[in-house]
Amino acid sequence: MELKKRYWKFFSVLAGLALVLSACTDSTSSDPKKPTEQTAPKEDIGNFPMTVKNDGEIVDGVLTYGLVSDTPFEGTLNYAFYTGQPDAEILQFFDEALFRTNGDYEITNDGAATYELSADKKTMTIKIKDNVKWHDGEPVKAEDLEYAYLVIGHKDYTGVRYGDALIQGIVGMEEYHSGKASTISGIKVVDEKTLTITWKQANPSVLTGIWAYPLPKHYLKDIPIDQLAQSDKIRKNPIGFGPFKVKKIVPGESVEMVRNDDYYGGKPNLKGVIVKVVSPKVVLQSLKKGEIDIAEFPTDQYVGAKGTKNIQFVGKIDLAYNYIGFKLGHWDAKKQENVMDNPKFQDKRLRQAMAYAIDNKSVGEKLYHGLRFPATTLIPPSFPGYHDKEAKGYSYDPEKAKKLLDEAGYKDKDGDGLREDPNGKKFTIHFLAMSGSDVAEPLAKFYMQCWKDVGLDVQLVDGRLAEFNSFYDMVEKDDPKVDVFAAAWGTGTDVDPYGLYGRNVMFNYSRWVNEKNDELLEKGHSEQAFDKEYRKKIYNEWQALMNEEVPVIPTLYRSALYAVNNRVKNFTVDPSSQLTWKDVGVTAEKPEVE
């Protein structure tokens, strides 16, 4: 519901809308160089309310949430292990972080736990409230949060959360991770409900990005850590301490949940929630028929949905951006670091040229009616205090792209319109793009045509689009067939980009490493960065560095748009609101239909 829940950390969502995946109501274009023009005027996300309007009395009902996806959800239903957005959308109903956040995404004492930060800002004392219980009735304890860190920091851990600077920076974590210690010396359980975490250095991200998702130690401790992600206790019978409890899972298709009457925040208004996968191609019809109550709505379908009488739209600028990444190397699992050893795209002029060749403005305006708009940096405007408004990014300039390619030695020596590499050999770029909707293929072809217009031969990997799970499998495993890939990131509530672009971070999918990048990322979460003006200066430098080096091309900023049935009350996407899924209710037993 609230994106602050869904995007608790940057890694909490591998946004599944790689390229532009939501279905387009009229996306067929005879000319792949031009996205289909729509006749409707451009929209402004600022004109959308962030909270639904409903003055009715709440009744005891069940809400159906549409999980918009063209593929089954993976079903790794645990915050420490999941990687895909579909699983995150399910998790938000039955599990949560110990802390809530304010409008600036900073943690508060209003949730399941309270905190105090020491004078030197290196030690946090966390106290879990007495009435917080797991779904099986066991109390949530301090040792459950410690256990989460012991799992994530363990050498046998199979997930990707260890890449977080705050996790790596805990005193004793490095020794524990390497197997030299059996415990993490910087984490101490004081009593059943209290623990302290001490970091090697103060980091301002502690207020927006601390890992605060405990794991039920009593429930999971007997499962070997390297088998946890595939265990039935995570995939078939997961528990949390959120407002709803999992009752039944149809793998990949749906999850039925019932009210958690012992929820620490009070009795939820809804009797239950059903989450079910809905294809983007039929999501509008499902909403009109009342088959689903809420869905994150594909922005390119908005024009066709505008004016639908039984639903309301709420939205805001998303904590996310689309991007095109270059495969510059590989992940060395043994050393736990990225290695930049792929020579194909080492010349940044080639990367810059490919950025200048893309007409993102046309895509945003003509396919998304302004609800997506050209990205200029890797810190989106949803972080107004840190987004560099002066950065110009890469506007469409094919002539500049051609000039850069000429300078880098990529020339058309045969006169066939396609450039060869500097050694005079055939130069083909293999492009990985994701399936998912009617618009996915036309848009992939549009990008390839943009590159062809400046003389680059770009072909789809295996000649086709990849579905969500296989797409990220190829990206994460550095499949040698992939040269360039189109994806998207949910940045999370923590502005610190280390977890996506750090040297020792698995999520750095481009595998780009750079000493200046290391230096700026380190400064960005240093003790000095508690001074917001200093941090802003550092992140402006970082945004400029990334625009110069272009390990990834930011393409589009996105609007988060939700379609909500008129019977739903208290649903919001406002980060400053204290409404949660506990407060959401329905004012009629059955959904309104058009």
Side-chain angles (χ1 to χ4, degrees), residues 39-161:
T39 58
K42 287 192 295 179
E43 299 291 337
D44 182 349
I45 193 63
N47 294 333
F48 287 84
M50 287 195 281
T51 304
V52 295
K53 295 178 181 178
N54 186 340
D55 297 326
E57 292 292 322
I58 289 176
V59 300
D60 208 26
V62 175
L63 180 141
T64 303
Y65 181 95
L67 183 58
V68 182
S69 175
D70 74 318
T71 59
F73 60 81
E74 187 176 299
T76 308
L77 299 179
N78 183 276
Y79 280 108
F81 290 97
Y82 86 92
T83 54
Q85 176 177 334
D87 287 351
E89 291 190 58
I90 297 167
L91 274 164
Q92 65 181 327
F93 293 99
F94 75 86
D95 205 6
E96 60 184 63
L98 290 169
F99 297 120
R100 297 221 176 123
T101 57
N102 62 21
D104 292 323
Y105 306 109
E106 296 168 334
I107 58 174
T108 71
N109 288 327
D110 299 325
T114 61
Y115 79 94
E116 287 185 11
L117 201 57
S118 62
D120 66 2
K121 297 183 174 62
K122 292 182 181 180
T123 298
M124 179 178 283
T125 300
I126 299 171
K127 189 171 182 62
I128 301 169
K129 295 175 181 177
D130 289 335
N131 59 341
V132 184
K133 298 177 182 178
W134 295 107
H135 290 152
D136 61 2
E138 284 292 312
V140 178
K141 300 177 181 178
E143 66 176 22
D144 293 324
L145 185 56
E146 178 196 36
Y147 177 60
Y149 282 97
L150 289 169
V151 168
I152 292 170
H154 199 276
K155 59 181 177 61
D156 293 336
Y157 170 64
T158 58
V160 294
R161 306 298 183 251

Side-chain angles (χ1 to χ4, degrees), residues 485-501:
F485 60 97
W489 278 123
T491 61
T493 55
D494 182 10
V495 70
D496 184 1
Y498 173 84
L500 296 178
Y501 298 105

Side-chain angles (χ1 to χ4, degrees), residues 280-305:
K281 297 179 181 180
V282 300
V283 62
L284 179 56
Q285 289 305 312
S286 295
L287 286 159
K288 287 182 175 181
K289 293 177 181 178
E291 294 171 346
I292 54 177
D293 288 292
I294 300 176
E296 183 169 5
F297 198 75
T299 49
D300 60 344
Q301 290 193 44
Y302 175 70
V303 168

Side-chain angles (χ1 to χ4, degrees), residues 247-479:
K247 180 182 179 183
K248 179 184 178 183
I249 297 176
V250 179
E253 295 181 14
S254 64
V255 180
E256 181 182 352
M257 289 173 257
V258 296
R259 179 162 49 211
N260 175 16
D261 289 323
D262 291 328
Y263 182 56
Y264 76 92
K267 181 180 177 181
N269 285 324
L270 292 166
K271 184 164 58 176
V273 173
I274 296 171
V275 179
K276 68 177 184 179
V277 172
V278 179
S279 167
K281 297 179 181 180
V282 300
V283 62
L284 179 56
Q285 289 305 312
S286 295
L287 286 159
K288 287 182 175 181
K289 293 177 181 178
E291 294 171 346
I292 54 177
D293 288 292
I294 300 176
E296 183 169 5
F297 198 75
T299 49
D300 60 344
Q301 290 193 44
Y302 175 70
V303 168
K306 190 176 182 179
T308 302
K309 292 183 173 61
N310 68 320
I311 58 176
Q312 306 176 41
F313 287 95
V314 295
K316 68 167 195 170
I317 296 177
D318 208 351
L319 285 165
Y321 57 84
N322 286 65
Y323 71 95
I324 290 170
F326 297 93
K327 273 296 180 184
L328 303 174
H330 74 281
W331 172 253
D332 188 323
K334 189 174 182 180
K335 294 182 179 178
Q336 292 283 291
E337 68 177 30
N338 292 290
V339 179
M340 196 165 69
D341 58 357
N342 181 2
K344 192 163 188 174
F345 291 98
Q346 295 299 329
D347 192 328
K348 69 181 178 183
R349 291 173 295 184
L350 171 60
R351 307 195 297 266
Q352 291 170 342
M354 290 183 71
Y356 278 121
I358 299 172
D359 186 2
N360 291 310
K361 189 171 184 287
S362 290
V363 173
E365 290 182 355
K366 296 176 182 178
L367 285 182
Y368 296 99
H369 324 291
L371 291 175
R372 292 193 184 181
F373 49 100
T376 53
T377 84
L378 295 176
I379 295 181
S382 40
F383 291 107
Y386 296 102
H387 169 69
D388 185 357
K389 296 187 290 291
E390 304 303 317
K392 295 180 180 179
Y394 285 86
S395 55
Y396 180 51
D397 193 340
E399 293 309 311
K400 194 164 188 175
K402 292 175 184 177
K403 184 178 179 183
L404 282 165
L405 290 170
D406 288 341
E407 290 174 0
Y410 294 86
K411 296 184 178 179
D412 176 13
K413 296 178 180 177
D414 297 335
D416 61 357
L418 297 177
R419 296 171 184 268
E420 298 168 348
D421 72 12
N423 296 318
K425 296 181 180 179
K426 182 179 179 181
F427 188 66
T428 301
I429 297 169
H430 301 98
F431 177 44
L432 182 68
M434 197 189 296
S435 65
S437 73
D438 293 341
V439 79
E441 185 173 358
L443 190 53
K445 287 181 177 178
F446 170 67
Y447 281 134
M448 290 190 292
Q449 184 65 46
C450 284
W451 290 321
K452 186 176 181 181
D453 287 344
V454 298
L456 295 174
D457 179 25
V458 183
Q459 304 292 330
L460 285 174
V461 172
D462 295 329
R464 62 180 185 273
L465 303 182
E467 59 86 27
F468 181 91
N469 294 323
S470 60
F471 175 94
Y472 276 111
D473 188 57
M474 294 175 80
V475 171
E476 289 168 1
K477 294 180 180 177
D478 302 315
D479 192 308

